[in-house]
C-alpha cells in the first residue's frame, strides 16, 4: 500500500546552543532514516524545514546530505515554505534546494485573475495529488486563502492532499488567537488529507465535510516552550500515512531520542539562599543520563535579586551526571527588592510578543496599518527578528546595514 | 430668510404658528425661530385648519359647491381668511455667540418669523466623540442629509432600545448602525442573528476583513468560523437565565455541577439511574431537567453516545469559541453569529454564555482600574421581551436583566429590539437611555415608549403614529432633544463601498 511521511517544523539551525542545535538536526536525520526504513513513497514537509530563510551553511550542508541519501532511495520530497524559512525580501534556501533538484516546492499557482488557482502536483509513483499554500510571515497567507479558487480544487478526483502552514481555528485548543489562525471554512473540501505545519503540537482531527486534518508538530523543538511541552509529555515526531483511494492508517513516529526533564522551583517569598538549596536538591536526582534538563525558577523572591543565584555549580553537577543539556529559565523570577520584570512568561519570544501587543495601542495614531493593533505587534516582532540577524561572512558593514534596513522597510510595507 | 410661518399664539410647549399659504408645513417638521441672540428649534406636533369666517358660513359655502355645483365659488381673499394653524413645541435653544445648546426656558418672541431648518443650523446636531450614526436629520418626511451622531461609548454602555413594529425598518437601522461602527474600535458588538440577515451586507464593508467575524455552520461561507460551542463551557448560571427551572430542578442542576464540574451537563444527560437520589435529587426533577436540556438545547444521551440536534453544542470541539468571541469583542471587533438553526432558548443561551463571560472579564478589568483601556461591548438581542419581560427579569441569573441594570458601570450594554415595549418593565425601560422610536400604530406601545423617553414626548403620539418606514425619533440622555431621523437604506451605503481587495502578491 502506498504511504507518505508528513513532517513539519524541523526548524533546522534554530538553537544557539550547539548541543541543542545538534540534537535538533539529529531528530531530523532520524525522521529521514525512519522514512527510508519504512519505505515511504514520498515525504511531505509542511513548512519551517529551516529556522531562517538563509540558515547557517553547515546546517544546510548536513541536512542536504541526509535528504540526498533519501532521494537516492527513490523517495521524492515535497516542501512548502513555513513562516520561518520564507522571506518576502530575499531568496530562501528552500528556493535554492528546489532549484538544485533536491526536493520540489509544491505551490505552483496561477493568480493572473482575482483568484488564486492552485495547480496539483502529481506524485508519479503513487498518483497522489498534492496542492498547498505556503506559510508567510505574519500570516499574510490568509489573503491567499481568501482568494483561493476552492471549486476547482474540490472538483478534482483521486487521492488528494492539501499542504498548509497556518493554524486552523477550529483545531486549536485555545493556544492561538482567532486572528492568528484561519477558520476551516477557508479550506477546499473533498481532500483526503490536510497536512499541516506551524503548530508545534501533534494534532489529528476529522472536520465535518472535510478529510483528516493533521499537524505532526515539531520534530524536536524550536524554543524553551517546546522543550517544556516535551517534558510534559508532548510527543515529538512525524506521521506516516498509508493510503489507496483514501487514508487507511496514520502512524506517529517519534524522533526525539533524548528525554526531557523539567524541574520547577517556586521562589515566592523565598530568599536566594532558599532557592540555592532547592537547586542543590535537584542535583540529588540520579537520572540525568542523556537527558535535556530544564529548571524553571519562577515567583517573587522575598529578598535578594535573581542574579544573586549562581546557577553554574548546579549546571556543572547535572552535566557531570550525564545530562546533554541544562537549561535554567528564570524569566519569570522577580524580586520584591528589584522588581523589574513585569511580564510573566516563559520564553523570550513570548515575552517579546506580549510586550509588543501591550504597547501596540500607542501606535494607533500612525497612518501605517502595519503599526497598529495585532498587526503592529506582529510587525514589531518581525522587525526585531530582522534586527537580530547577524552579519554574513564576507558581507561589508554597509551592505549588512542596507540589507537589514531594506528588510525592515519591507516588513513595514514601506519598501519595495 | 424664507418665511414659512409666524408665531401668533400659544404657550410653552404649545406654540401656535400660522402657516404661510404657499409654504405647506408637515407634521414632525423642524423649524427655526430666530432673534438677535438665539435660535430656537421648533418641532411641529399638530396641524389644524383656521379661518376668520364663521364655521356655519363655511359649511354653507361648501354645500353650494358640492350640492349646487357652484364650482367656481371662491372666498374673497382666500389665503388671508383661511389658513393652517401649526402647533409646535420648542426643542432646543442655541445661543448664537457660542453655539451653546440649552433646554428652552422662554418663549420665542411673539410674532417671530419662522423659517425651515437649513444647513446653517446644523450646529444643533454637533458631531460627537466616538460617533455612532443613527440616521440623517429629518424634518417632517424630508431627509435633510445631515448625519445625526451620538457618543457611541456612552450610548452603547447605557443601552439602546429599538422599538419598531414589523416592516418599519429596524433591521435596516441596525445594519446602518453596524456599518457605521465596523471600522471604529471603540466598541465590540455581538449580533445574535436569528434570521441570518446581517453578514451578507456587512461583509461588503471595506473594513470587514479586519473587523467582522462571522460564525455559522452553513456551508459555502469561506472565511466564516464554525459556530460550535463545547458543552463543557456552559455553566449552570448561563442556563438559569434563559430556561425556567423550579427550585428542586435548580438544586439538581447545582448538585451535578458541584459533583462533575465542567462535565455536569453531560452527566445529567447520561444519568438514567438518578445517582443523587439519596442526596435529595428526585428522579422526576432529574427527568424534567433532562427533558428541558433536550428540548431547549437539543442535547441528549442515546445508545451510549451524546447527541445534539443542532450543530452548535458539541462535545468534541468548540472549546475556544467563547473565549475567542469574548476576546474579539474586547478588542473592538464585531461578531455576527448565525443562530438561525437554533431554537429560541438555545440562541439566548449562546448570548447568555458570552454575556456572562464578557461581564466577568470587564468586572475584573474595572477592579484593576483598567476598564478605560477597553472598548464598550454591546450585545444585540432581537425580541428583547424574551429575556426582559416582567416575568423574566426576576429569574435567577438572568444575565440580560443584570446587564440592563448594572452593565453600564462595566461598559457592557444591550441593543434591545422589540415590537412590544409595553411588556418590558418600567425599571428596565428607564435604564435604556437611548430609544430609537419607529412608527407604531398601537397606542399602548407608543405610551410605553413615550412615558419612559429621555425627553418629554407627551405631545408626540400622533407624530409617532404617522412615521413612515425608515423614519424614527431618537430620544436619548445623550442628545439635547428628541431628534427626528430618517435612516438611510443600507443598500445605498453599501453600494459605493468596495471591500478592500487583498494585495496582489506573487504566489510561489
Amino acid at each position: 500500500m502506498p504511504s507518505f511521511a508528513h513532517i513539519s517544523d524541523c526548524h533546522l539551525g534554530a538553537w544557539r546552543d550547539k548541543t541543542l542545535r545538534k540534537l535538533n538536526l539529529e531528530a531530523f536525520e532520524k525522521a529521514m532514516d525512519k522514512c527510508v526504513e519504512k519505505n515511504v513513497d514520498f515525504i511531505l514537509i509542511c513548512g519551517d524545514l529551516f529556522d531562517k530563510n538563509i540558515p547557517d551553511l553547515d546546517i544546510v550542508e548536513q541536512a542536504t546530505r541526509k535528504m540526498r541519501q533519501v532521494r537516492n532511495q527513490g523517495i521524492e520530497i515535497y516542501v512548502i515554505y513555513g513562516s520561518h524559512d520564507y522571506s518576502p525580501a530575499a531568496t530562501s534556501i528552500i528556493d535554492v534546494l528546489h532549484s538544485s533538484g533536491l526536493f520540489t516546492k509544491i505551490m505552483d499557482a496561477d493568480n493572473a485573475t482575482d483568484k488564486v488557482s492552485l495547480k496539483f502536483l502529481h506524485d508519479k509513483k503513487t498518483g497522489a495529488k498534492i496542492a498547498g499554500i505556503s506559510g508567510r510571515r505574519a500570516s499574510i497567507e490568509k489573503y491567499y486563502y481568501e482568494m483561493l479558487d476552492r471549486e476547482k480544487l474540490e472538483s478534482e478526483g483521486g487521492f488528494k492532499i492539501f499542504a498548509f502552514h497556518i493554524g486552523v481555528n477550529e483545531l486549536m485548543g485555545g493556544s492561538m488567537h482567532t486572528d492568528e489562525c484561519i477558520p476551516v471554512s477557508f479550506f477546499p473540501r473533498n481532500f483526503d488529507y490536510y497536512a499541516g505545519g506551524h503548530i508545534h503540537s501533534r494534532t489529528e482531527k476529522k472536520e465535518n465535510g472535510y478529510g483528516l486534518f493533521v499537524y505532526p508538530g515539531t520534530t524536536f523543538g524550536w524554543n524553551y516552550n517546546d522543550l517544556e511541552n516535551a517534558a510534559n509529555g508532548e510527543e515529538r515526531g512525524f506521521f506516516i500515512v498509508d493510503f489507496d483511494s483514501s487514508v487507511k492508517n496514520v502512524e506517529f513516529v517519534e524522533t526525539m531520542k533524548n528525554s526531557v526533564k523539567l524541574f520547577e522551583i517556586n521562589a515566592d517569598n523565598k530568599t536566594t539562599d532558599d532557592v540555592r538549596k532547592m537547586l542543590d536538591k535537584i542535583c540529588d536526582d540520579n537520572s540525568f543520563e542523556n537527558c535535556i534538563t530544564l529548571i524553571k525558577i519562577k515567583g517573587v523572591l522575598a529578598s535578594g535579586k535573581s542574579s544573586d543565584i549562581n546557577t553554574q555549580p548546579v549546571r556543572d553537577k547535572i552535566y557531570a551526571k550525564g545530562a546533554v543539556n541544562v537549561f535554567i529559565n528564570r524569566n519569570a523570577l522577580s524580586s520584591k527588592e528589584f522588581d523589574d520584570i513585569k511580564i510573566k512568561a516563559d520564553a523570550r519570544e513570548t515575552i517579546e510578543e506580549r510586550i509588543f501587543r501591550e504597547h501596540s495601542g500607542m501606535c494607533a495614531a500612525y497612518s501605517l496599518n502595519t503599526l497598529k493593533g495585532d498587526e503592529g505587534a506582529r510587525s514589531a516582532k518581525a522587525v526585531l527578528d530582522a534586527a537580530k540577524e547577524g552579519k554574513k561572512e564576507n558581507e561589508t558593514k554597509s551592505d549588512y546595514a542596507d540589507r537589514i534596513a531594506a528588510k525592515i522597510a519591507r516588513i513595514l510595507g514601506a519598501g519595495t | 430668510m424664507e418665511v414659512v410661518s409666524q408665531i401668533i399664539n400659544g404657550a410653552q410647549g404649545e406654540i401656535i404658528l400660522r402657516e404661510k399659504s404657499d409654504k405647506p408645513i408637515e407634521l414632525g417638521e423642524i423649524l427655526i425661530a430666530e432673534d438677535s441672540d438665539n435660535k430656537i428649534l421648533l418641532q411641529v406636533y399638530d396641524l389644524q385648519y383656521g379661518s376668520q369666517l364663521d364655521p356655519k358660513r363655511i359649511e354653507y359655502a361648501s354645500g353650494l359647491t358640492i350640492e349646487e355645483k357652484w364650482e367656481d365659488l371662491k372666498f374673497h381673499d382666500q389665503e388671508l381668511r383661511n389658513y393652517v394653524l401649526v402647533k409646535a413645541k420648542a426643542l432646543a435653544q442655541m445661543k448664537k455667540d457660542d453655539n451653546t445648546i440649552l433646554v428652552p426656558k422662554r418663549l420665542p418672541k411673539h410674532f417671530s418669523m419662522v423659517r425651515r431648518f437649513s444647513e446653517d443650523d446644523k450646529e444643533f446636531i454637533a458631531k460627537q466623540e466616538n460617533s455612532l450614526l443613527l440616521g440623517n436629520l429629518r424634518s417632517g418626511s424630508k431627509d435633510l442629509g445631515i448625519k445625526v451622531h451620538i457618543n457611541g461609548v456612552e450610548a452603547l454602555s447605557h443601552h439602546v432600545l429599538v422599538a419598531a413594529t414589523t416592516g418599519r425598518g429596524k433591521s435596516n437601522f441596525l445594519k446602518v448602525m453596524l456599518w457605521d461602527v465596523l471600522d471604529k474600535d471603540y466598541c465590540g458588538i455581538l449580533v445574535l442573528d436569528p434570521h441570518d440577515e446581517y453578514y451578507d451586507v456587512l461583509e461588503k464593508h471595506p473594513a470587514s476583513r479586519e473587523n467582522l467575524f462571522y460564525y455559522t455552520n452553513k456551508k459555502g461561507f469561506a472565511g466564516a468560523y464554525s459556530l460550535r460551542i463545547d458543552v463543557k463551557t456552559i455553566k449552570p448560571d448561563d442556563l438559569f437565565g434563559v430556561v425556567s427551572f423550579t427550585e428542586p430542578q435548580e438544586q439538581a442542576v447545582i448538585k451535578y455541577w458541584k459533583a462533575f464540574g465542567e462535565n455536569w451537563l453531560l452527566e445529567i444527560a447520561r444519568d438514567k439511574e438518578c445517582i443523587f437520589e439519596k442526596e435529595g435529587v428526585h428522579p422526576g426533577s432529574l427527568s424534567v431537567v433532562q427533558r428541558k436540556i433536550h428540548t431547549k438545547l437539543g442535547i441528549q444521551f442515546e445508545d451510549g453516545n451524546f447527541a445534539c440536534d443542532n450543530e452548535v453544542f458539541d462535545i468534541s470541539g468548540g472549546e475556544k469559541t467563547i473565549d475567542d468571541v469574548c476576546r474579539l469583542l474586547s478588542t473592538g471587533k464585531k461578531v455576527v453569529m448565525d443562530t438561525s438553526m437554533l431554537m429560541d432558548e438555545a440562541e439566548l443561551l449562546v448570548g447568555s454564555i458570552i454575556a456572562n463571560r464578557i461581564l466577568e472579564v470587564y468586572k475584573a478589568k474595572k477592579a484593576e482600574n483598567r476598564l478605560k483601556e477597553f472598548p464598550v461591548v454591546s450585545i444585540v438581542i432581537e425580541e428583547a421581551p424574551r429575556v426582559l419581560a416582567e416575568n423574566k427579569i426576576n429569574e435567577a441569573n438572568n444575565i440580560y436583566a443584570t446587564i440592563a441594570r448594572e452593565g453600564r458601570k462595566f461598559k457592557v450594554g444591550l441593543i434591545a429590539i422589540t415590537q412590544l415595549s409595553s411588556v418590558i418593565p418600567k425599571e428596565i425601560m428607564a435604564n435604556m437611555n437611548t430609544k430609537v422610536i419607529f412608527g407604531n400604530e398601537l397606542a399602548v406601545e407608543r405610551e410605553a415608549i413615550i412615558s419612559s423617553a429621555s425627553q418629554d414626548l407627551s405631545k408626540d403620539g400622533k407624530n409617532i403614529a404617522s412615521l413612515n418606514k425608515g423614519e424614527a425619533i431618537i430620544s436619548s440622555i445623550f442628545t439635547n432633544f428628541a431628534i427626528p431621523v430618517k435612516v438611510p437604506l443600507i443598500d445605498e451605503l453599501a453600494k459605493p463601498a468596495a471591500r478592500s481587495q487583498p494585495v496582489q502578491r506573487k504566489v510561489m
Side-chain angles (χ1 to χ4, degrees):
Chain A
M1 185 180 289
S3 66
F4 70 90
H6 172 197
I7 299 173
S8 80
D9 296 276
C10 304
H11 288 276
L12 300 176
W15 297 91
R16 285 185 191 170
D17 180 280
K18 283 182 182 169
T19 310
L20 293 173
R21 180 182 284 225
K22 182 166 168 284
L23 292 175
N24 188 18
L25 179 68
E26 286 174 2
F28 172 72
E29 288 172 339
K30 184 176 175 184
M32 293 292 109
D33 291 341
K34 281 283 181 188
C35 289
V36 173
E37 184 190 318
K38 298 272 185 177
N39 199 23
V40 301
D41 293 290
F42 62 87
I43 297 169
L44 180 55
I45 301 177
C46 291
D48 287 348
L49 172 59
F50 293 97
D51 192 54
K52 287 179 183 161
N53 63 316
I54 305 177
D56 288 348
L57 288 180
D58 61 331
I59 286 287
V60 175
E61 192 272 327
Q62 291 174 79
T64 304
R65 193 181 330 139
K66 180 52 77 176
M67 284 190 278
R68 177 58 64 193
Q69 286 172 12
V70 170
R71 287 297 311 276
N72 289 342
Q73 299 294 317
I75 300 171
E76 291 285 343
I77 303 173
Y78 305 119
V79 175
I80 59 172
Y81 298 111
S83 45
H84 279 251
D85 52 21
Y86 168 77
S87 168
T91 300
S92 164
I93 190 65
I94 300 296
D95 303 309
V96 175
L97 298 182
H98 165 73
S99 299
S100 75
L102 182 67
F103 53 60
T104 307
K105 264 192 314 182
I106 292 169
M107 203 161 167
D108 183 10
D110 170 14
N111 68 333
T113 63
D114 60 347
K115 284 195 166 181
V116 169
S117 179
L118 297 180
K119 292 178 184 169
F120 280 99
L121 183 154
H122 292 243
D123 178 64
K124 285 178 188 154
K125 206 196 292 186
T126 64
K129 297 172 183 176
I130 310 166
I133 294 182
S134 287
R136 295 283 189 280
R137 286 274 178 194
S139 296
I140 295 166
E141 69 269 31
K142 271 186 188 179
Y143 292 116
Y144 294 128
Y145 284 95
E146 195 171 319
M147 295 158 69
L148 187 61
D149 184 352
R150 275 167 282 272
E151 242 172 65
K152 185 183 157 207
L153 293 169
E154 287 167 355
S155 61
E156 182 84 18
F159 181 81
K160 295 187 291 183
I161 303 168
F162 192 89
F164 62 98
H165 187 87
I166 193 168
V168 179
N169 191 62
E170 285 81 350
L171 272 61
M172 304 294 104
S175 54
M176 288 186 91
H177 289 159
T178 312
D179 46 5
E180 291 171 325
C181 38
I182 60 169
V184 73
S185 63
F186 266 139
F187 286 85
R189 292 168 182 270
N190 304 333
F191 276 68
D192 298 281
Y193 189 89
Y194 294 82
H198 191 53
I199 303 304
H200 287 197
S201 300
R202 172 186 166 178
T203 306
E204 305 136 76
K205 198 166 186 185
K206 177 86 176 67
E207 273 296 309
N208 200 8
Y210 298 83
L212 184 65
F213 276 80
V214 176
Y215 289 106
T218 174
T219 45
F220 179 81
W222 169 66
N223 63 8
Y224 176 86
N225 273 356
D226 283 342
L227 291 179
E228 189 177 309
N229 290 338
N232 287 326
E234 184 92 57
E235 293 171 300
R236 299 299 181 206
F238 70 101
F239 281 100
I240 291 179
V241 183
D242 299 328
F243 68 97
D244 47 25
S245 58
S246 61
V247 173
K248 294 300 172 194
N249 187 47
V250 176
E251 181 196 354
F252 190 76
V253 181
E254 292 208 47
T255 50
M256 204 165 176
K257 64 180 189 181
N258 306 88
S259 61
V260 187
K261 291 190 83 160
L262 170 67
F263 299 90
E264 291 194 64
I265 291 178
N266 184 348
D268 273 342
N269 295 317
K270 302 281 191 307
T271 64
T272 50
D273 270 348
D274 294 336
V275 173
R276 265 193 291 270
K277 283 174 193 163
M278 291 160 94
L279 282 167
D280 284 340
K281 201 170 179 192
I282 287 172
C283 298
D284 294 343
D285 195 305
N286 282 318
S287 56
F288 290 112
E289 189 68 31
N290 277 328
C291 178
I292 298 168
T293 306
L294 311 177
I295 301 175
K296 186 176 183 179
I297 313 172
K298 59 182 184 180
V300 183
L301 288 166
S303 64
K305 54 185 176 179
S306 59
S307 57
D308 291 343
I309 303 167
N310 180 6
T311 54
Q312 194 54 48
V314 179
R315 287 176 201 274
D316 293 343
K317 282 182 196 170
I318 296 173
Y319 274 123
K321 289 189 173 185
V324 293
N325 191 268
V326 181
F327 204 122
I328 299 180
N329 179 338
R330 40 187 171 185
N331 287 339
L333 176 66
S334 62
S335 160
K336 280 180 182 167
E337 293 178 19
F338 302 92
D339 186 13
D340 56 354
I341 299 173
K342 289 178 182 168
I343 304 288
K344 288 187 179 175
D346 302 321
R348 172 176 48 82
E349 292 76 16
T350 315
I351 294 171
E352 288 166 1
E353 280 174 17
R354 287 189 187 171
I355 288 174
F356 288 135
R357 267 180 199 285
E358 285 188 7
H359 290 81
S360 61
M362 292 163 67
C363 298
Y366 295 170
S367 59
L368 275 175
N369 279 333
T370 45
L371 296 178
K372 294 177 184 172
D374 288 347
E375 179 68 16
R378 283 193 291 269
S379 301
K381 179 75 172 65
V383 167
L384 182 64
D385 288 342
K388 282 179 193 165
E389 277 188 27
K391 188 166 84 66
K392 295 181 190 307
E393 268 187 47
N394 302 325
E395 191 177 29
T396 65
K397 277 185 181 175
S398 66
D399 283 351
Y400 170 57
D402 289 348
R403 179 168 64 83
I404 299 298
K407 191 169 184 180
I408 290 171
R410 286 191 190 98
I411 290 166
L412 297 174
T416 54
Chain B
M1 178 172 96
E2 189 178 46
V3 174
V4 296
S5 63
Q6 185 177 24
I7 294 172
I8 55 168
N9 211 335
Q12 183 68 302
E14 187 179 322
I15 298 166
I16 298 173
L17 303 86
R18 175 179 164 142
E19 178 189 274
K20 192 166 185 296
S21 61
D22 58 345
K23 306 289 179 196
I25 290 173
E26 285 186 323
L27 204 58
E29 190 160 353
I30 49 177
L31 305 168
I32 298 289
E34 198 168 352
D35 59 31
S36 55
D37 300 324
N38 294 286
K39 284 181 184 178
I40 294 179
L41 186 70
L42 305 170
Q43 187 179 31
V44 177
Y45 66 82
D46 204 0
L47 298 167
Q48 65 184 70
Y49 293 111
S51 178
Q52 291 297 305
L53 303 174
D54 177 359
K56 289 200 180 303
R57 288 180 66 98
I58 295 174
E59 289 159 15
Y60 180 71
S62 173
L64 291 175
T65 306
I66 61 177
E67 305 296 345
E68 302 295 329
K69 311 293 187 204
W70 286 19
E71 288 169 0
D72 54 350
L73 179 71
K74 284 186 179 156
F75 289 109
H76 182 61
D77 293 336
Q78 156 78 6
E79 287 79 18
L80 207 56
R81 291 163 187 263
N82 298 305
Y83 39 82
V84 170
L85 289 172
V86 177
K87 284 188 181 174
K89 61 179 179 175
L91 295 179
Q93 175 183 338
M94 186 198 289
K95 288 168 74 177
K96 281 185 171 177
D97 53 358
D98 60 0
N99 288 351
T100 308
I101 296 170
L102 307 166
V103 176
K105 287 195 169 59
R106 66 171 180 78
L107 285 168
K109 284 190 177 163
H110 206 174
F111 305 116
S112 293
M113 295 300 178
V114 174
R115 61 175 172 80
R116 297 193 203 275
F117 190 94
S118 75
E119 183 75 13
D120 297 338
D121 308 310
K122 66 181 180 187
E123 284 78 13
F124 274 108
I125 313 290
K127 190 164 180 178
Q128 307 269 343
E129 192 185 357
N130 295 320
S131 65
L132 174 69
L133 177 69
L134 297 176
N136 293 338
L137 186 64
R138 175 178 58 81
S139 180
S141 56
K142 190 180 174 194
D143 181 341
L144 298 178
I146 296 167
K147 292 190 186 311
V148 175
H149 295 93
I150 56 173
N151 183 317
V153 173
E154 297 284 6
L156 292 174
S157 57
H158 286 70
H159 317 300
V160 176
L161 179 86
V162 183
T165 52
T166 306
R168 292 301 184 111
K170 65 175 165 48
S171 294
N172 180 65
F173 169 77
L174 267 173
K175 285 172 189 167
V176 167
M177 199 180 81
L178 290 166
W179 182 276
D180 178 62
V181 294
L182 207 54
D183 57 358
K184 294 172 182 169
D185 56 9
Y186 70 75
C187 64
I189 297 185
L190 171 68
V191 183
L192 299 168
D193 185 1
H195 308 298
D196 194 24
E197 59 184 319
Y198 290 97
Y199 178 72
D200 278 355
V201 173
L202 297 176
E203 69 106 17
K204 293 175 188 162
H205 194 288
S208 65
R209 179 177 291 113
E210 291 77 26
N211 294 336
L212 180 65
F213 290 79
Y214 180 49
Y215 283 77
T216 184
N217 289 332
K218 285 189 181 148
K219 312 290 181 248
F221 285 91
Y225 291 84
S226 304
L227 179 49
R228 285 207 311 245
I229 295 172
D230 186 348
V231 293
K232 290 178 182 165
T233 59
I234 303 173
K235 295 177 184 174
D237 279 357
D238 302 325
L239 202 59
F240 290 158
V242 292
V243 179
S244 299
F245 289 105
T246 61
E247 204 175 322
Q249 291 160 9
E250 207 171 294
Q251 294 299 326
V253 166
I254 289 166
K255 193 86 195 164
Y256 283 82
W257 165 249
K258 284 184 176 167
F260 298 107
E262 62 180 21
N263 289 314
W264 68 278
L265 206 46
L266 297 175
E267 294 301 329
I268 287 177
R270 190 208 303 267
D271 187 5
K272 306 294 179 199
E273 311 294 327
C274 192
I275 55 175
F276 293 121
E277 186 173 4
K278 286 181 182 167
E279 294 169 54
V281 174
H282 191 277
S285 298
L286 175 66
S287 171
V288 176
V289 171
Q290 286 172 331
R291 196 178 68 240
K292 283 183 178 173
I293 288 171
H294 179 213
T295 55
K296 306 293 186 189
L297 309 182
I299 299 166
Q300 62 176 328
F301 189 75
E302 263 184 348
D303 305 326
N305 291 308
F306 290 102
C308 190
D309 296 347
N310 54 64
E311 288 181 24
V312 174
F313 299 110
D314 203 327
I315 57 163
S316 60
E319 57 268 50
K320 69 194 275 282
T321 303
I322 298 299
D323 284 346
D324 279 348
V325 171
C326 288
R327 199 187 59 78
L328 290 169
L329 294 173
S330 64
T331 50
K333 309 295 186 194
K334 317 302 178 265
V335 178
V336 174
M337 284 191 160
D338 166 21
T339 55
S340 59
M341 77 299 288
L342 288 175
M343 287 172 283
D344 263 13
E345 286 86 352
E347 180 206 356
L348 292 172
L349 176 63
V350 172
S352 176
I353 299 167
I354 297 167
N356 267 312
R357 301 299 176 279
I358 201 80
L359 194 62
E360 281 170 19
V361 170
Y362 271 42
K363 279 183 174 177
K365 299 297 175 199
K366 179 158 185 168
E368 295 166 18
N369 203 22
R370 292 185 57 204
L371 197 55
K372 63 176 182 297
E373 297 168 28
F374 290 83
V376 58
V377 170
S378 187
I379 300 168
V380 177
I381 16 169
E382 299 260 2
E383 294 166 42
R386 289 183 295 169
V387 284
L388 295 179
E390 185 83 55
N391 61 335
K392 293 284 179 186
I393 59 162
N394 293 321
E395 281 184 2
N397 301 303
N398 178 341
I399 184 66
Y400 299 99
T402 304
I403 290 176
R405 288 185 181 113
E406 58 179 77
R408 66 181 180 280
K409 291 186 281 187
F410 306 102
K411 287 174 81 171
V412 179
L414 299 175
I415 299 173
I417 301 162
T418 181
Q419 297 187 44
L420 296 170
S421 306
S422 59
V423 300
I424 299 176
K426 283 181 182 170
E427 171 210 356
I428 299 292
M429 288 292 277
N431 276 302
M432 300 278 162
N433 286 314
T434 298
K435 295 185 178 70
V436 184
I437 307 162
F438 285 90
N440 202 318
E441 302 84 353
L442 298 171
V444 64
E445 297 305 322
R446 290 201 303 271
E447 185 49 41
I449 302 163
I450 286 170
S451 62
S452 63
S454 305
Q455 285 86 15
D456 177 14
L457 300 184
S458 57
K459 295 188 187 308
D460 283 275
K462 283 183 190 171
N463 198 356
I464 294 170
S466 71
L467 292 174
N468 291 317
K469 183 175 181 176
E471 294 176 356
I473 294 171
I474 310 293
S475 173
S476 171
I477 60 169
F478 305 108
T479 60
N480 293 305
F481 54 91
I483 305 176
V485 296
K486 168 81 179 173
V487 183
L489 290 174
I490 185 64
D491 291 343
E492 288 168 14
L493 287 179
K495 202 188 295 175
R499 190 172 187 233
S500 62
Q501 290 301 307
V503 179
Q504 290 284 325
R505 292 181 172 90
K506 186 171 175 252
V507 180
M508 290 170 285

